[in-house]
Amino acid sequence: TDSSVMVHSRSHRISMIRLLIFAVAIVSITQAAVCSKGYKLMNDRCIKLMGTVTGTLSELLKEKENECEQDGGFLPIIKTVQDNTDFNNIVQMFDGLQDPYLVLGMVCNATTTRLEWEDSSTITYIQQNPKNTDIKLDYNCVTDTSRVVSRVSVNDWIIVYEPTFADYKYTFLCETKQAQEGSDNDQCGEYEYMPVAEDANKPCVKINTVPLNWQDAEAECRRQSGHLTSISSDLENVFIRRMAVGANVNANLLIGATKHDGTRDDTGFTEFTWIDGADFIYNNFDPKGEQLGVDETCSSMIINGGKWMIEDCDKAKLPYACRREKIPAIVRCNNFPRSDTYFLPPGFPNSKYNCSYYLTVDTRLFVDLQVEQLDLDEGDYLDIFEGYGVTDPAALIASINSTSILPANRSFITRETNQMTVIWTPKSTSTGKGFELKYQASNEPGQEDQK
């Protein structure tokens, strides 16, 4: 019946399981770089060609910067000779680009009136051509809309003085970060890994788009084992803002800055603390907005520009950003757990990731798998096979789902060999926590019908 642990073929799903085991084996052998859909791995960078177009550069820049920002990426940021060489090589990998003018990821800082890189860093490197007049980037970029491009075929940069070169064809590339399978990115679960995190132990961020007030948002972040986000640098601020833009947040985003006593420091700013306990070493409050909110005690980021402002903790219902620590390594996909040691599914307690486990005991003994805890959602399966890497339906000891009733001793034992394969296949939207298992050697084989 549906309420018992059954041995049956499920031939289609077992075929898929075979493919899964192969994929897991490949991942175990190599840590491959992963790019988002639409991006290619080129020179160890995730790159998308957004097109080669003719027009007024300042207008094209706005369009392409926004398109790239939606993917959480940047136009080319070049800080070293090696960066410049990398992008020259990348452009030349695309067929049909004749004498390309590569548009660089420089934006105008309205406060300083100078160009800077899109990640808010200062421009310290310029690729000059000794035969040409050196280019200077100390002009007022607010009143002068000229921008910088790289002439790949000549290997130098030039300033495009508009509308002088309005008929040139400009090449736009977008670069997004890449993840490594089996790297820190995996330890963030459904959160996104923030590579620029000041606190390396707390690099995981998630944008939640369902509006809540500050108190309820913090409660939801705590439910996800985190807090409303702290922000400790310009780079973190830019990264989180870009995540919000990518999630189609276009107003304000609740963050974790809060005050308790309403006092002010010598600069006139309210003394804030981060709800997650991080040191308040970076302040991006808009002075005007901060003063307007003297009586309020919570905060948000203004998506248009990234400045912060005061919010009413109870009234303002907005999207919000949570931040938490890495998931402990014990819950990553450990394909070869040790005997007599508990093992959990990857991403626990948000166990949405496939994993295969290969259990072995001494020869002439049998594998005894103990189910200590089980919390499965509809569509989650835990399949147990006799043998190493075996997915033959005839070797299926048990297939456990959300309605299964476990044996009284909560134990499954191999019948013929000293090896067992356990395959965890959760539904991608699973809300179940998964399982807690351990195994040991048994002197006696399992019974034919392990219900």
Side-chain angles (χ1 to χ4, degrees):
T1 65
D2 290 341
S3 62
S4 62
V5 180
M6 302 174 62
V7 178
H8 55 284
S9 62
R10 285 201 177 97
S11 58
H12 175 71
R13 191 163 58 80
I14 288 176
S15 296
M16 297 302 294
I17 285 172
R18 287 173 175 161
L19 292 176
L20 172 64
I21 286 182
F22 176 75
V24 169
I26 294 297
V27 169
S28 300
I29 294 171
T30 181
Q31 292 186 337
V34 180
C35 293
S36 303
K37 185 177 180 180
Y39 285 76
K40 295 181 179 180
L41 187 65
M42 309 177 76
N43 274 27
D44 290 327
R45 299 172 184 266
C46 291
I47 300 292
K48 178 173 75 173
L49 176 62
M50 295 189 291
T52 297
V53 292
T54 302
T56 302
L57 182 54
S58 59
E59 296 177 357
L60 293 172
L61 259 173
K62 294 177 183 178
E63 174 189 343
K64 297 302 182 181
E65 284 172 355
N66 182 64
E67 179 182 340
C68 187
E69 190 175 71
Q70 294 293 327
D71 290 345
F74 297 103
L75 299 183
I77 293 176
I78 298 177
K79 299 182 179 182
T80 66
V81 173
Q82 186 59 55
D83 287 344
N84 194 70
T85 301
D86 284 349
F87 277 105
N88 284 352
N89 292 337
I90 287 169
V91 170
Q92 292 169 10
M93 292 179 190
F94 290 101
D95 295 331
L97 296 183
Q98 300 295 326
D99 296 325
Y101 282 67
L102 177 64
V103 182
L104 304 182
M106 296 182 186
V107 294
C108 183
N109 185 321
T111 302
T112 65
T113 70
R114 296 294 183 266
L115 291 174
E116 64 182 18
W117 292 115
E118 280 188 313
D119 64 0
S120 300
S121 61
T122 303
I123 299 170
T124 58
Y125 171 81
I126 298 174
Q127 181 65 26
Q128 305 277 11
N129 185 333
K131 296 181 180 180
N132 295 333
T133 303
D134 290 348
I135 65 172
K136 306 293 185 183
L137 301 183
D138 56 354
Y139 62 88
N140 186 324
C141 59
V142 176
T143 58
D144 185 346
T145 59
S146 300
R147 293 297 181 261
V148 181
V149 300
S150 171
R151 296 191 298 179
V152 174
S153 59
V154 183
N155 190 32
D156 69 355
W157 299 356
I158 61 171
I159 297 176
V160 176
Y161 298 97
E162 294 192 339
T164 308
F165 297 135
D167 293 333
Y168 278 19
K169 288 186 176 181
Y170 300 107
T171 297
F172 289 89
L173 299 181
C174 183
E175 179 182 10
T176 60
K177 69 180 184 64
Q178 61 179 259
Q180 292 288 335
E181 294 178 350
S183 71
D184 288 333
N185 194 68
D186 293 334
Q187 288 187 263
C188 284
E190 79 279 18
Y191 277 50
E192 183 167 348
Y193 175 66
M194 180 166 63
V196 297
E198 291 288 319
D199 184 349
N201 293 319
K202 198 187 299 177
C204 306
V205 180
K206 180 182 178 182
I207 304 299
N208 300 270
T209 58
V210 177
L212 295 176
N213 66 33
W214 196 94
Q215 305 287 6
D216 290 342
E218 168 62 11
E220 177 60 22
C221 289
R222 286 178 182 249
R223 190 189 70 79
Q224 299 175 22
S225 303
H227 293 278
L228 282 169
T229 189
S230 54
I231 302 175
S232 298
S233 70
D234 273 330
L235 290 178
E236 288 191 359
N237 201 67
V238 169
F239 186 91
I240 292 171
R241 175 183 170 274
R242 286 182 175 276
M243 282 185 64
V245 170
N248 296 318
V249 176
N250 52 26
N252 284 26
L253 181 79
L254 292 176
I255 59 175
T258 182
K259 65 176 181 177
H260 302 289
D261 55 11
T263 59
R264 287 176 172 269
D265 61 21
D266 294 338
T267 65
F269 286 93
T270 305
E271 291 183 347
F272 276 81
T273 59
W274 292 114
I275 192 66
D276 67 356
D279 293 335
F280 206 91
I281 59 176
Y282 170 74
N283 188 333
N284 201 36
F285 274 110
D286 184 330
K288 295 179 181 179
E290 206 273 348
Q291 291 167 8
L292 290 173
V294 169
D295 297 327
E296 312 304 342
T297 61
C298 294
S299 59
S300 70
M301 177 191 291
I302 306 168
I303 297 304
N304 184 13
K307 288 290 187 181
W308 308 341
M309 65 176 288
I310 303 297
E311 293 287 358
D312 185 301
C313 296
D314 299 316
K315 294 181 181 179
K317 291 188 175 182
L318 296 166
Y320 54 98
C322 298
R323 183 171 180 173
R324 72 183 185 195
E325 295 180 352
K326 295 179 183 178
I327 300 168
I330 190 173
V331 300
R332 299 173 71 183
C333 185
N334 177 15
N335 302 119
F336 302 95
R338 293 180 299 173
S339 62
D340 292 317
T341 300
Y342 293 115
F343 60 97
L344 308 168
F348 181 90
N350 299 288
S351 305
K352 305 174 184 178
Y353 307 96
N354 298 334
C355 191
S356 297
Y357 305 90
Y358 307 102
L359 317 180
T360 302
V361 296
D362 291 340
T363 55
R364 296 188 297 276
L365 297 177
F366 304 92
V367 181
D368 180 1
L369 180 69
Q370 299 285 327
V371 180
E372 300 294 327
Q373 300 289 337
L374 194 66
D375 180 14
L376 304 188
D377 197 10
E378 183 179 357
D380 296 344
Y381 288 94
L382 188 67
D383 294 298
I384 304 169
F385 291 88
E386 175 102 25
Y388 180 86
V390 176
T391 59
D392 190 326
L396 183 65
I397 297 174
S399 184
I400 305 172
N401 59 38
S402 61
T403 62
S404 298
I405 297 176
L406 299 178
N409 61 1
R410 305 176 71 88
S411 173
F412 298 92
I413 306 174
T414 55
R415 297 186 292 268
E416 299 177 0
T417 71
N418 66 326
Q419 295 181 316
M420 176 184 286
T421 298
V422 180
I423 299 177
W424 167 236
T425 312
K427 184 175 65 175
S428 61
T429 56
S430 175
T431 58
K433 290 185 178 180
F435 54 80
E436 185 176 0
L437 309 174
K438 71 175 180 179
Y439 72 99
Q440 59 190 7
S442 170
N443 291 314
E444 300 296 328
Q447 302 299 312
E448 186 68 27
D449 184 12
Q450 300 186 52
K451 293 185 179 181

